[in-house]
Amino acid sequence: MTTLRKRAALLIAAAILVLTASVAMAEPLALPTISVGMGKVTKPGDMAVVLQIFFLMTILSLAPGLLIMTSSFTRIVVVLSFLRTAMGTQQAPSNQIVIGLSLFLTFFVMSPVWQQVNTQALQPYKEQKISQEQAIELGVAPVRKFMFSQTREKDLALFISLSKLPRPKNAADIPILTLIPAFIISELRTSFQIGFLIYIPFLVVDMVVASVLMSMGMMMLPPVMISLPFKILLFVLVDGWGLVIGSLVKSFG
């Protein structure tokens, strides 16, 4: 079980390295040719290599999930969803716009990390200055540092206790399979905190409009119909997009 866990962590780390490096590279990747064939296995080591390749292909099929779950995407997309719900604009902006904006903001926030991966790991490996194992170790290090900086110790302790691992002496002893879920939980907690703060001004507008309508005897008129234009106007006047996006980006500092 320990060996399988180490191999899974190594393959996930390799997948993260490939993803981050491919985003950071300015020049296009040269795709290798792949040929598939069948033959008899004469050595046990050959079978192990085949199984590792299939396992790696399975990990790469989850590449989009690894990319968004090990970056700033989770916090950004959740906060933007909260913003749309708080304003009550239903499907404006649409899901495509929210996801697209979240992706480009993720590229903006994560670009320093991915540039480090490209400089420290991918380029030396392409120039054959370091081995594959060293490239994976050096490439995952900036991503791990980013995740550690955004992860609460309480969430790390939770998953360490759930995995029944011995107490780590330092951050390097924490496996990546434990770090990733702890990072995601911390990101969800932070995004919900920001979402709560976003809800407050719009909730005040709804309460004021509902009180005015009730005092005027218009109890049959839905307050949402009247408060929506005022919420949009308030959001535009205070430069809401600039405040929300600026606060989101600065929260990763």
Side-chain angles (χ1 to χ4, degrees), residues 73 94-107:
F73 180 84
S94 63
N95 292 332
Q96 291 85 349
I97 296 177
V98 170
I99 295 175
L101 178 59
S102 301
L103 281 174
F104 281 102
L105 287 176
T106 300
F107 296 152

Side-chain angles (χ1 to χ4, degrees), residues 184-237:
I184 297 172
I185 295 298
S186 297
E187 287 292 281
L188 289 175
R189 181 179 183 273
T190 304
S191 60
F192 272 64
Q193 290 176 337
I194 299 175
F196 171 77
L197 297 177
I198 290 176
Y199 256 94
I200 293 178
F202 297 111
L203 182 61
V204 172
V205 174
D206 286 333
M207 293 176 62
V208 170
V209 171
S211 300
V212 172
L213 291 177
M214 186 174 294
S215 64
M216 296 176 63
M218 299 180 179
M219 292 178 292
M220 301 301 294
L221 182 63
V224 178
M225 295 181 59
I226 308 300
S227 63
L228 179 58
F230 288 100
K231 289 191 287 187
I232 295 176
L233 179 62
L234 173 65
F235 190 72
V236 172
L237 289 178

Side-chain angles (χ1 to χ4, degrees), residues 45-186:
D46 296 338
M47 188 62 183
V49 172
V50 172
L51 293 177
Q52 289 179 4
I53 292 175
F54 276 107
F55 194 40
L56 179 60
M57 295 298 293
T58 303
I59 295 295
L60 290 178
S61 65
L62 304 175
L66 289 175
L67 179 62
I68 65 178
M69 290 303 178
T70 58
S71 65
S72 58
F73 180 84
T74 302
R75 183 187 305 183
I76 295 173
V77 74
V78 172
V79 170
L80 293 181
S81 299
F82 271 124
L83 174 62
R84 183 178 62 182
T85 306
M87 292 182 64
T89 54
Q90 302 300 326
Q91 295 297 322
S94 63
N95 292 332
Q96 291 85 349
I97 296 177
V98 170
I99 295 175
L101 178 59
S102 301
L103 281 174
F104 281 102
L105 287 176
T106 300
F107 296 152
F108 178 79
V109 173
M110 298 297 296
S111 58
V113 178
W114 291 338
Q115 288 295 336
Q116 290 182 17
V117 173
N118 184 40
T119 303
Q120 299 177 8
L122 184 62
Q123 295 302 326
Y125 177 69
K126 290 177 62 178
E127 297 172 0
Q128 298 182 353
K129 294 181 179 179
I130 58 177
S131 62
Q132 181 179 3
E133 291 77 11
Q134 292 175 329
I136 293 176
E137 182 179 355
L138 293 174
V140 175
V143 182
R144 285 175 59 93
K145 183 179 179 181
F146 170 79
M147 289 192 289
F148 272 118
S149 66
Q150 305 298 327
T151 305
R152 297 191 307 160
E153 293 183 2
K154 185 177 180 180
D155 295 328
L156 278 174
L158 171 64
F159 283 96
I160 290 174
S161 63
L162 290 176
S163 60
K164 298 180 180 180
L165 293 174
R167 184 173 182 177
K169 298 179 181 179
N170 49 45
D173 294 336
I174 299 178
I176 195 169
L177 291 177
T178 304
L179 175 59
I180 291 178
F183 168 74
I184 297 172
I185 295 298
S186 297

